[in-house]
Amino acid sequence: MSSTPHPELVTTFRAMAEVVYRGQSFEAVHLAVCQAAVRLVDGCDHASLMVRRHGQVVTVAASDDVARASDEVEREVGRGPCLDVLDEDAPHQHICADLRDGCEWPELGRRLTAELGVHGLAGFRLRQDGTKLGSLNVLSDTPGALTTASLDQATLLVAFASVGLAALHRGEEAATLRRGLESNREIGKAVGLLMAMHGIDDEQAFGMLSQVSQEMNLKLAQVAAQVIETHGPRSA
């Protein structure tokens, strides 16, 4: 696998980072995440972000009216990939690439295809400092357009968004935030090493990093760098 990021990914992440660096609101960051999903994730035509507030699941940002309406339909049905990822015991991502073909949520599939022309849907849990925050919802107008590559791209976007939202929540200064976002690649390497060493998934590995960070009062990037130095491959 090439270590060189895709130019579109780099450009989009820089634009998102600038939103956070300028100290804009959570609303601005939420919208930037949705817009980035449409640009970055293969097959994504619409995107939204839902969060749980005071026991209610609400849409805090959407790329367009279709995405917002899709969230409303899913809330009315009461089940779907975007709502299910908010369940702590559920997988951190759900996907149905073709809502007409054996979808786990048949009622939702029928309504989305008939009412909105949506044929593919995926939900990704978004975490902030290791706690459940909400879900990034990715929608496609084309059956089968959401693929494993789409999952990888959306997962990376969610990781980036989590770092930015967590930093904004803590009120970090712009320079500190910039260093944290730029170190995200190192955090990803550390997560990968922990997954390989312990046979765990990415969410559990990130949780391990976060726990050590909190217990030792160190930045997440510092913990990641130590993991890489200790367990990473040695140069010849």
Side-chain angles (χ1 to χ4, degrees):
M1 180 182 295
S2 172
S3 61
T4 303
H6 191 284
E8 178 75 2
L9 181 148
V10 173
T11 300
T12 303
F13 277 13
R14 283 176 178 168
M16 284 181 58
E18 284 303 317
V19 173
V20 185
Y21 298 157
R22 291 195 298 269
Q24 295 190 13
S25 65
F26 280 99
E27 289 76 12
V29 178
H30 292 156
L31 180 58
V33 171
C34 295
Q35 293 171 336
V38 175
R39 293 184 60 187
L40 283 180
V41 179
D42 290 349
C44 176
D45 297 300
H46 322 277
S48 67
L49 192 61
M50 293 198 297
V51 301
R52 192 185 299 277
R53 288 179 177 170
H54 310 297
Q56 301 292 321
V57 177
V58 298
T59 299
V60 294
S63 63
D64 52 41
D65 291 340
V66 171
R68 196 172 293 277
S70 174
D71 286 357
E72 183 59 32
V73 171
E74 188 166 349
R75 282 190 291 265
E76 290 175 2
V77 172
R79 280 207 64 212
C82 310
L83 288 178
D84 285 2
V85 296
L86 296 175
D87 183 350
E88 192 69 51
D89 296 325
H92 67 281
Q93 62 184 33
H94 281 291
I95 182 172
C96 184
D98 188 347
L99 291 170
R100 307 167 306 173
D101 183 21
C103 175
E104 185 178 344
W105 309 274
E107 182 182 354
L108 177 66
R110 285 192 297 269
R111 289 195 56 182
L112 290 182
T113 54
E115 298 175 20
L116 299 173
V118 170
H119 289 273
L121 180 63
F124 302 84
R125 186 179 300 151
L126 182 64
R127 288 184 173 272
Q128 178 175 298
D129 287 339
T131 61
K132 186 164 67 246
L133 175 66
S135 63
L136 172 65
N137 312 320
V138 172
L139 300 88
S140 179
D141 295 336
T142 305
L146 297 177
T147 65
T148 54
S150 308
L151 294 180
D152 291 341
Q153 293 155 354
T155 299
L156 179 58
L157 176 58
V158 165
F160 184 92
S162 296
V163 173
L165 287 168
L168 190 61
H169 179 73
R170 292 192 300 268
E172 292 187 357
E173 295 181 353
T176 303
L177 175 57
R178 185 181 298 274
R179 288 194 295 271
L181 290 171
E182 288 175 347
S183 70
N184 192 53
R185 183 178 176 186
E186 299 303 305
I187 294 172
K189 289 180 181 178
V191 166
L193 283 170
L194 291 174
M195 289 171 65
M197 290 168 56
H198 299 286
I200 57 179
D201 62 25
D202 57 346
E203 195 168 300
Q204 292 170 313
F206 188 82
M208 290 178 65
L209 287 178
S210 298
Q211 182 176 356
V212 173
S213 171
Q214 293 167 7
E215 290 178 351
M216 299 186 67
N217 195 27
L218 293 172
K219 297 289 186 183
L220 193 62
Q222 292 176 294
V223 177
Q226 185 61 46
V227 169
I228 294 170
E229 180 180 348
T230 304
H231 301 290
R234 296 287 189 265
S235 300

